[in-house]
Amino acid sequence: MKILTGGIGKTETAGAVTALALDGVEVTVSSDLDAALKLRAGQADYYLGTCHTGAGASLGVLVGLLGGDACHTFGRSVPTGDEIAALLADGKKVFGFSVDRIDAVTPALARAMAARRP
């Protein structure tokens, strides 16, 4: 499974995923445009984007290119495991959140994504 990270906290987000040492999970720092193209082509599975509010710049390009149905922003909130599971079950592949929530949101998302692998 391949997770791409982008936005102002892309390096920190990638580091948070890597620190989990999840078996079979690869993480790559990316730009939002490159991530959208890779997701469309099936070359990546998920995208985690960060900005100051988690609401706009974290996902703007991806919403525009992939459509709102593939994307979800948590803004500055920290989602529960049930919320994440429901979003993944609904087909969401692109997630945005505030850069000051990287330590809380990234591990929960990455673990839930890894748990969904066949």
Side-chain angles (χ1 to χ4, degrees):
M1 180 184 68
K2 187 168 192 172
I3 298 173
L4 304 175
T5 64
I8 62 172
K10 61 187 169 190
T11 303
E12 294 87 349
T13 304
V17 174
T18 301
L20 298 171
L22 299 168
D23 190 38
V25 175
E26 176 186 342
V27 63
T28 302
V29 172
S30 179
S31 70
D32 49 4
L33 179 58
D34 189 48
L37 297 174
K38 285 183 177 178
L39 285 163
R40 280 169 105 182
Q43 298 171 347
D45 301 292
Y46 297 103
Y47 175 82
L48 306 179
T50 53
C51 68
H52 288 291
T53 64
S58 64
L59 300 182
V61 170
L62 287 109
V63 169
L65 294 176
L66 300 176
D69 289 344
C71 305
H72 180 80
T73 182
F74 296 111
R76 298 202 61 222
S77 68
V78 177
T80 66
D82 288 342
E83 289 172 315
I84 292 170
L87 291 165
L88 292 171
D90 192 37
K92 304 294 184 200
K93 295 187 173 293
V94 175
F95 297 92
F97 48 95
S98 176
V99 70
D100 66 347
R101 301 292 192 255
I102 289 172
D103 291 341
V105 176
T106 303
L109 276 170
R111 286 185 180 114
M113 291 168 178
R116 291 185 53 85
R117 286 184 304 141

